[in-house]
Amino acid sequence: MSRPSQRDFGAQENLDQEIASLLKAIEQEKVPDRLTKLAIELQNALIQKRRCKLES
């Protein structure tokens, strides 16, 4: 197994910073009401599907 080079560590650090920046941007983004409504509808449909499978 080869040892990671300094360049590999630098690339990893840059990637970690990019991920941290993206996560911060996502956390600050407002969730549209329509997306929330669709997520709730999907959740309800999945619950209903699971109940149907249990009754079969």
Side-chain angles (χ1 to χ4, degrees), residues 23-54:
L23 287 172
K24 185 175 181 180
I26 289 169
E27 289 170 352
Q28 293 174 351
E29 194 67 30
K30 292 182 181 178
V31 179
D33 290 338
R34 175 81 173 130
L35 182 57
T36 302
K37 183 180 177 195
L38 289 170
I40 291 169
E41 288 179 23
L42 175 60
Q43 186 177 31
N44 289 334
L46 290 169
I47 289 168
Q48 187 176 13
K49 181 178 179 181
R50 188 180 317 139
R51 286 181 182 157
C52 288
K53 282 186 175 182
L54 291 175

Side-chain angles (χ1 to χ4, degrees), residues 13-30:
E13 186 174 317
N14 288 340
L15 183 58
D16 289 344
Q17 290 174 352
E18 183 178 355
I19 291 170
S21 175
L22 288 168
L23 287 172
K24 185 175 181 180
I26 289 169
E27 289 170 352
Q28 293 174 351
E29 194 67 30
K30 292 182 181 178

